[in-house]
Amino acid sequence: MIEMHDIWKTYPDGTPALQGINIVIDRNEFVYVVGPSGAGKSTFMKLIYREEVPTKGQLSVNGFNIGKLKQRKIPYVRRNIGVVFQDFRLLPKLSVYENVAFAMEVVESPKRQIRRRTMEVLELVGLKHKASSLPAQLSGGEQQRVAIARAIVNSPSVIVADEPTGNLDPETSWGIMKLLEEINFRGTTIVMATHNKEIVNTLRKRVIAIERGTIVRDQQRGDYGYEV
Ligand code: ADP
Ligand code: ADP
C-alpha cells in the first residue's frame, strides 16, 4: 500500500532530509515513526501525503506512483489519505460540523451524503453534540477529535498523523490513541510520528526509527528506544 524504494529528499536549500529510504507498509498496519528531532520524520510523512515530492527514488501509495503524479490526479490521491497534525489545524471561523463537512465539499460529494457522513463521523469521535460549536470552544482533546473526524470523513485507506498527541495531556492522549486504534481496527492503515515513549512502549506496534535521514530500526511490536 505504501512502498518506498531508495527514496531521497534534499530540500531546495541543500538540506538532506532523507537518504535512501526503503520501506513497505501493508494495508491495515499501524506504524509508529520515531527518532530525534530533525531526523526526517515529518519529511517522510509529507512524502506520503504528497506535501513534498522525493528528489530521487520510487514512491507509491495505493498503487499510485506519487513521484510521477499528474497535477490533476493529486486530489484523488489526497482524498485517500487523511492527515492529522499536532496543532489540529481546524478552520477557526467554521463550526465543528463545517470543518468536517468541508473536507467532503472539496471533493464534491453530494450534499445529502455530506450531511449523513459528517454526522456519522462526529458520532464516531463522540462529538455529535458539539457539531455547532466553534473550535475555540472545545478542549485540545476535542479539537483533535474533530481533526480526526475530518481526516476520516472521506473514508481514506491511510491516516498520516504527525505527533497527534504532542499538544495533549497524558490522559487525553490515551483517548486519542483509543480512537486511532479503533479506526485502524476498522480497516485504515495508520502511520504516526511520535515522541511519546509511554504510548509506544504500552500500545506495542511496528516501530520504524529514522536517524539522519535513514531507517536505523524496523521492529514488529517494537519499543520507543530513546531516553526522552
Ligand atoms: P523531524 O520531523 O524528524 O524533526 P524533518 O523531516 O522535519 O525532521 O526535518 C529533516 C531535516 O530537513 C532537518 O534538518 C530539517 O531542518 C530539514 N528541513 C525540514 N523541512 C525543510 C524545508 N522546508 N527546507 C529546508 N530544510 C528543511
Ligand atoms: P462506511 O464509511 O460505509 O460507513 P465503515 O464504517 O466500514 O464504512 O468505515 C469506512 C471508513 O470509515 C474507514 O475506512 C475509515 O476511514 C472510517 N472509519 C473507520 N473507523 C472509524 C472510526 N472509529 N470513526 C470514524 N470513522 C472511522
Side-chain angles (χ1 to χ4, degrees), residues 14 42 61 68 76 93 116-117 125 128 135-136 151 153 157 163-164 172 218:
S42 291
V61 178
K68 296 204 175 109
Y76 296 96
K93 291 184 175 162
R116 186 183 59 77
R117 177 66 179 159
V125 304
K128 206 173 170 179
V153 76
S157 52
E163 298 203 41
T172 308
D218 182 355

PDB file of all heavy atoms in Angstrom, residues 14 42 61 68 76 93 116-117 125 128 135-136 151 153 157 163-164 172 218:
ATOM      1  N   GLY A  14      19.426  22.744  -0.007  1.00  0.00           N
ATOM      2  CA  GLY A  14      20.539  21.792   0.080  1.00  0.00           C
ATOM      3  C   GLY A  14      20.501  20.870   1.288  1.00  0.00           C
ATOM      4  O   GLY A  14      21.316  19.951   1.400  1.00  0.00           O
ATOM      5  N   SER A  42       9.041  14.079   9.739  1.00  0.00           N
ATOM      6  CA  SER A  42       7.987  14.866   9.083  1.00  0.00           C
ATOM      7  C   SER A  42       8.123  14.808   7.569  1.00  0.00           C
ATOM      8  O   SER A  42       7.118  14.744   6.852  1.00  0.00           O
ATOM      9  CB  SER A  42       8.030  16.333   9.533  1.00  0.00           C
ATOM     10  OG  SER A  42       7.651  16.420  10.876  1.00  0.00           O
ATOM     11  N   VAL A  61       1.720   5.033  -3.358  1.00  0.00           N
ATOM     12  CA  VAL A  61       0.716   4.984  -2.296  1.00  0.00           C
ATOM     13  C   VAL A  61      -0.575   4.526  -2.948  1.00  0.00           C
ATOM     14  O   VAL A  61      -1.033   5.149  -3.911  1.00  0.00           O
ATOM     15  CB  VAL A  61       0.527   6.365  -1.634  1.00  0.00           C
ATOM     16  CG1 VAL A  61      -0.561   6.301  -0.569  1.00  0.00           C
ATOM     17  CG2 VAL A  61       1.831   6.863  -1.006  1.00  0.00           C
ATOM     18  N   LYS A  68       5.517  10.618  -9.995  1.00  0.00           N
ATOM     19  CA  LYS A  68       5.198  10.977 -11.381  1.00  0.00           C
ATOM     20  C   LYS A  68       3.754  11.446 -11.544  1.00  0.00           C
ATOM     21  O   LYS A  68       3.241  11.544 -12.655  1.00  0.00           O
ATOM     22  CB  LYS A  68       5.428   9.761 -12.289  1.00  0.00           C
ATOM     23  CG  LYS A  68       6.876   9.340 -12.329  1.00  0.00           C
ATOM     24  CD  LYS A  68       7.189   8.574 -13.608  1.00  0.00           C
ATOM     25  CE  LYS A  68       8.663   8.246 -13.720  1.00  0.00           C
ATOM     26  NZ  LYS A  68       8.924   6.816 -13.521  1.00  0.00           N
ATOM     27  N   TYR A  76      -7.264  13.111  -6.115  1.00  0.00           N
ATOM     28  CA  TYR A  76      -7.719  11.735  -5.928  1.00  0.00           C
ATOM     29  C   TYR A  76      -6.847  10.984  -4.934  1.00  0.00           C
ATOM     30  O   TYR A  76      -7.326  10.186  -4.135  1.00  0.00           O
ATOM     31  CB  TYR A  76      -7.743  10.988  -7.272  1.00  0.00           C
ATOM     32  CG  TYR A  76      -8.729  11.578  -8.232  1.00  0.00           C
ATOM     33  CD1 TYR A  76      -8.324  12.491  -9.190  1.00  0.00           C
ATOM     34  CD2 TYR A  76     -10.084  11.250  -8.148  1.00  0.00           C
ATOM     35  CE1 TYR A  76      -9.234  13.067 -10.062  1.00  0.00           C
ATOM     36  CE2 TYR A  76     -10.998  11.813  -9.009  1.00  0.00           C
ATOM     37  CZ  TYR A  76     -10.575  12.717  -9.970  1.00  0.00           C
ATOM     38  OH  TYR A  76     -11.481  13.285 -10.808  1.00  0.00           O
ATOM     39  N   LYS A  93     -13.070  29.908  12.052  1.00  0.00           N
ATOM     40  CA  LYS A  93     -14.366  30.582  11.880  1.00  0.00           C
ATOM     41  C   LYS A  93     -15.475  29.627  11.475  1.00  0.00           C
ATOM     42  O   LYS A  93     -16.632  30.030  11.342  1.00  0.00           O
ATOM     43  CB  LYS A  93     -14.232  31.712  10.856  1.00  0.00           C
ATOM     44  CG  LYS A  93     -13.377  32.836  11.419  1.00  0.00           C
ATOM     45  CD  LYS A  93     -13.289  34.017  10.493  1.00  0.00           C
ATOM     46  CE  LYS A  93     -12.511  35.142  11.194  1.00  0.00           C
ATOM     47  NZ  LYS A  93     -12.012  36.136  10.231  1.00  0.00           N
ATOM     48  N   ARG A 116     -25.071  13.200   5.955  1.00  0.00           N
ATOM     49  CA  ARG A 116     -25.141  11.894   6.621  1.00  0.00           C
ATOM     50  C   ARG A 116     -23.770  11.447   7.146  1.00  0.00           C
ATOM     51  O   ARG A 116     -23.612  11.080   8.305  1.00  0.00           O
ATOM     52  CB  ARG A 116     -25.694  10.854   5.638  1.00  0.00           C
ATOM     53  CG  ARG A 116     -25.943   9.483   6.260  1.00  0.00           C
ATOM     54  CD  ARG A 116     -26.431   8.480   5.224  1.00  0.00           C
ATOM     55  NE  ARG A 116     -25.484   8.300   4.119  1.00  0.00           N
ATOM     56  CZ  ARG A 116     -24.370   7.586   4.210  1.00  0.00           C
ATOM     57  NH1 ARG A 116     -24.053   6.975   5.329  1.00  0.00           N
ATOM     58  NH2 ARG A 116     -23.560   7.485   3.177  1.00  0.00           N
ATOM     59  N   ARG A 117     -22.782  11.527   6.296  1.00  0.00           N
ATOM     60  CA  ARG A 117     -21.453  11.035   6.658  1.00  0.00           C
ATOM     61  C   ARG A 117     -20.784  11.923   7.726  1.00  0.00           C
ATOM     62  O   ARG A 117     -20.121  11.420   8.622  1.00  0.00           O
ATOM     63  CB  ARG A 117     -20.587  10.947   5.387  1.00  0.00           C
ATOM     64  CG  ARG A 117     -19.163  10.532   5.616  1.00  0.00           C
ATOM     65  CD  ARG A 117     -19.041   9.105   6.124  1.00  0.00           C
ATOM     66  NE  ARG A 117     -17.637   8.754   6.304  1.00  0.00           N
ATOM     67  CZ  ARG A 117     -17.195   7.775   7.084  1.00  0.00           C
ATOM     68  NH1 ARG A 117     -18.050   7.012   7.749  1.00  0.00           N
ATOM     69  NH2 ARG A 117     -15.912   7.546   7.186  1.00  0.00           N
ATOM     70  N   VAL A 125     -16.509   9.915  16.719  1.00  0.00           N
ATOM     71  CA  VAL A 125     -15.474  10.526  17.579  1.00  0.00           C
ATOM     72  C   VAL A 125     -16.074  11.100  18.861  1.00  0.00           C
ATOM     73  O   VAL A 125     -15.363  11.703  19.676  1.00  0.00           O
ATOM     74  CB  VAL A 125     -14.647  11.614  16.832  1.00  0.00           C
ATOM     75  CG1 VAL A 125     -14.014  11.031  15.576  1.00  0.00           C
ATOM     76  CG2 VAL A 125     -15.495  12.847  16.501  1.00  0.00           C
ATOM     77  N   LYS A 128     -20.882  14.538  18.391  1.00  0.00           N
ATOM     78  CA  LYS A 128     -22.109  14.923  17.686  1.00  0.00           C
ATOM     79  C   LYS A 128     -22.778  16.116  18.384  1.00  0.00           C
ATOM     80  O   LYS A 128     -23.281  17.026  17.719  1.00  0.00           O
ATOM     81  CB  LYS A 128     -23.057  13.726  17.680  1.00  0.00           C
ATOM     82  CG  LYS A 128     -24.040  13.718  16.540  1.00  0.00           C
ATOM     83  CD  LYS A 128     -24.808  12.410  16.534  1.00  0.00           C
ATOM     84  CE  LYS A 128     -25.960  12.443  15.559  1.00  0.00           C
ATOM     85  NZ  LYS A 128     -26.672  11.149  15.559  1.00  0.00           N
ATOM     86  N   PRO A 135     -14.270  25.749  17.044  1.00  0.00           N
ATOM     87  CA  PRO A 135     -13.088  25.074  17.603  1.00  0.00           C
ATOM     88  C   PRO A 135     -12.599  25.685  18.918  1.00  0.00           C
ATOM     89  O   PRO A 135     -12.254  24.949  19.851  1.00  0.00           O
ATOM     90  CB  PRO A 135     -12.051  25.236  16.490  1.00  0.00           C
ATOM     91  CG  PRO A 135     -12.848  25.269  15.230  1.00  0.00           C
ATOM     92  CD  PRO A 135     -14.119  25.996  15.597  1.00  0.00           C
ATOM     93  N   ALA A 136     -12.607  27.003  19.007  1.00  0.00           N
ATOM     94  CA  ALA A 136     -12.086  27.668  20.214  1.00  0.00           C
ATOM     95  C   ALA A 136     -12.906  27.339  21.460  1.00  0.00           C
ATOM     96  O   ALA A 136     -12.441  27.525  22.585  1.00  0.00           O
ATOM     97  CB  ALA A 136     -12.025  29.178  20.008  1.00  0.00           C
ATOM     98  N   ALA A 151     -10.236  13.933   9.065  1.00  0.00           N
ATOM     99  CA  ALA A 151      -9.288  13.074   8.349  1.00  0.00           C
ATOM    100  C   ALA A 151      -9.949  11.799   7.816  1.00  0.00           C
ATOM    101  O   ALA A 151      -9.540  11.275   6.792  1.00  0.00           O
ATOM    102  CB  ALA A 151      -8.110  12.720   9.257  1.00  0.00           C
ATOM    103  N   VAL A 153     -13.344  11.417   7.176  1.00  0.00           N
ATOM    104  CA  VAL A 153     -14.695  11.579   6.624  1.00  0.00           C
ATOM    105  C   VAL A 153     -14.814  11.070   5.183  1.00  0.00           C
ATOM    106  O   VAL A 153     -15.860  10.576   4.775  1.00  0.00           O
ATOM    107  CB  VAL A 153     -15.182  13.043   6.773  1.00  0.00           C
ATOM    108  CG1 VAL A 153     -14.525  13.968   5.741  1.00  0.00           C
ATOM    109  CG2 VAL A 153     -16.711  13.123   6.679  1.00  0.00           C
ATOM    110  N   SER A 157      -7.873   5.257   2.889  1.00  0.00           N
ATOM    111  CA  SER A 157      -7.266   3.986   3.256  1.00  0.00           C
ATOM    112  C   SER A 157      -6.086   4.184   4.203  1.00  0.00           C
ATOM    113  O   SER A 157      -5.676   3.252   4.886  1.00  0.00           O
ATOM    114  CB  SER A 157      -6.817   3.233   2.006  1.00  0.00           C
ATOM    115  OG  SER A 157      -6.016   4.063   1.218  1.00  0.00           O
ATOM    116  N   GLU A 163       2.724  13.532  15.177  1.00  0.00           N
ATOM    117  CA  GLU A 163       2.662  13.844  16.608  1.00  0.00           C
ATOM    118  C   GLU A 163       1.263  14.275  17.064  1.00  0.00           C
ATOM    119  O   GLU A 163       1.083  15.355  17.622  1.00  0.00           O
ATOM    120  CB  GLU A 163       3.681  14.935  16.948  1.00  0.00           C
ATOM    121  CG  GLU A 163       5.100  14.485  16.656  1.00  0.00           C
ATOM    122  CD  GLU A 163       6.129  15.266  17.466  1.00  0.00           C
ATOM    123  OE1 GLU A 163       5.845  15.496  18.660  1.00  0.00           O
ATOM    124  OE2 GLU A 163       7.166  15.608  16.914  1.00  0.00           O
ATOM    125  N   PRO A 164       0.266  13.411  16.851  1.00  0.00           N
ATOM    126  CA  PRO A 164      -1.112  13.803  17.163  1.00  0.00           C
ATOM    127  C   PRO A 164      -1.369  14.053  18.642  1.00  0.00           C
ATOM    128  O   PRO A 164      -2.325  14.744  18.984  1.00  0.00           O
ATOM    129  CB  PRO A 164      -1.939  12.606  16.673  1.00  0.00           C
ATOM    130  CG  PRO A 164      -0.996  11.451  16.721  1.00  0.00           C
ATOM    131  CD  PRO A 164       0.344  12.030  16.351  1.00  0.00           C
ATOM    132  N   THR A 172      -5.707  12.680  28.007  1.00  0.00           N
ATOM    133  CA  THR A 172      -6.351  12.989  26.728  1.00  0.00           C
ATOM    134  C   THR A 172      -5.676  12.221  25.599  1.00  0.00           C
ATOM    135  O   THR A 172      -6.330  11.725  24.672  1.00  0.00           O
ATOM    136  CB  THR A 172      -6.285  14.507  26.463  1.00  0.00           C
ATOM    137  OG1 THR A 172      -6.801  15.182  27.605  1.00  0.00           O
ATOM    138  CG2 THR A 172      -7.090  14.890  25.250  1.00  0.00           C
ATOM    139  N   ASP A 218      13.590  -1.253  12.345  1.00  0.00           N
ATOM    140  CA  ASP A 218      12.238  -1.550  11.880  1.00  0.00           C
ATOM    141  C   ASP A 218      11.826  -2.828  12.587  1.00  0.00           C
ATOM    142  O   ASP A 218      12.295  -3.910  12.264  1.00  0.00           O
ATOM    143  CB  ASP A 218      12.239  -1.724  10.350  1.00  0.00           C
ATOM    144  CG  ASP A 218      10.835  -1.986   9.795  1.00  0.00           C
ATOM    145  OD1 ASP A 218       9.887  -2.129  10.591  1.00  0.00           O
ATOM    146  OD2 ASP A 218      10.709  -2.039   8.560  1.00  0.00           O
TER     147      ASP A 218
END
